[in-house]
Amino acid sequence: MKRIVVVEDQLVLLDSLARALEAEEDFEVVATLQDPATLPQAVEKNNANMVLMDVCTVDGPVGLEAAAKLNASHPDVTVVLMTAMPDVTFVDAAKQAGVTSFVYKNIHTSELLSILRSSANDYSIYPPEPKIPALGYNELSEREIEVLRLVCAGFTRKEIADRMTLSENTIKSNISSILTKTGYQSIARLALYALSSGFIVVDQVAPPTEG
């Protein structure tokens, strides 16, 4: 029997997941949380041996940090992360956090149950290595994605250059390349699209300092 804690900030989905798991003979939902702040306590109090957790809550992608901390303090607990966000960095971050499996939310309940059971048997299930999403006729490089991420977070070109220890001309060239590849004429318009589509999640970036 897998004693599972479910962490999901959307109540409708949280209730739905809990009901689906409780309907199975080999799962018992011992706690439901809307954020992972009290996850270690919930695991210990309820003797849980599995966690199903959303990457992002109202506080941003804190599920990644919570998973890393739980893995350090409770290495025998199986952690499965899920997300609806297509941010390309989540998969690698989940691996670094020691997460057993990682799934996207656009799967059927039966598939999720199968992944949870496989994970409980020490099989690590991850989606195929993601390609960097193409916003235009070509794909962006890792550096260009980082530049775009910082633009979305409100950094100026000079601040981006300082943060990445590159020249401002290099950043200018990167932005030009991004616009050429994506077909956008304005980096501000592209940033708006990247944020609204979930291609970039700015909670992962520390905001620029004021003054």
Side-chain angles (χ1 to χ4, degrees), residues 7-10 33-37 53-63 203:
V7 186
E8 165 60 55
D9 65 325
Q10 297 183 38
L33 306 174
Q34 286 188 266
D35 70 73
M53 179 163 54
D54 195 354
V55 171
C56 295
T57 65
V58 291
D59 296 319
V62 293
D203 300 89

Side-chain angles (χ1 to χ4, degrees), residues 1-81:
M1 173 71 70
K2 284 300 170 183
R3 298 172 58 80
I4 188 166
V5 176
V6 182
V7 186
E8 165 60 55
D9 65 325
Q10 297 183 38
L11 280 174
V12 172
L13 183 54
L14 180 61
D15 290 344
S16 177
L17 287 168
R19 285 197 301 271
L21 290 166
E22 282 288 359
E24 303 297 312
E25 294 183 355
D26 52 339
F27 288 106
E28 179 185 359
V29 178
V30 295
T32 56
L33 306 174
Q34 286 188 266
D35 70 73
T38 60
L39 179 58
Q41 295 92 320
V43 167
E44 292 177 4
K45 178 181 178 181
N46 298 284
N47 196 26
N49 50 24
M50 176 172 270
V51 171
L52 175 62
M53 179 163 54
D54 195 354
V55 171
C56 295
T57 65
V58 291
D59 296 319
V62 293
L64 292 166
E65 180 181 352
K69 290 181 178 178
L70 187 68
N71 184 54
S73 61
H74 298 77
D76 294 334
V77 175
T78 300
V79 178
V80 176
L81 284 185

Side-chain angles (χ1 to χ4, degrees), residues 92-143:
D92 284 341
K95 290 178 180 178
Q96 292 173 10
V99 171
T100 303
S101 297
F102 184 98
V103 299
Y104 290 108
K105 288 183 179 179
N106 60 342
I107 60 174
H108 293 294
T109 302
S110 58
E111 187 175 355
L112 175 61
L113 290 170
S114 177
I115 291 172
L116 289 172
R117 290 185 174 110
S118 294
S119 301
N121 288 317
D122 297 326
Y123 291 106
S124 185
I125 311 295
Y126 274 77
E129 195 68 27
K131 289 184 176 180
I132 297 170
L135 292 178
Y137 65 80
N138 204 350
E139 295 180 350
L140 302 184
S141 68
E142 296 282 358
R143 178 189 287 180

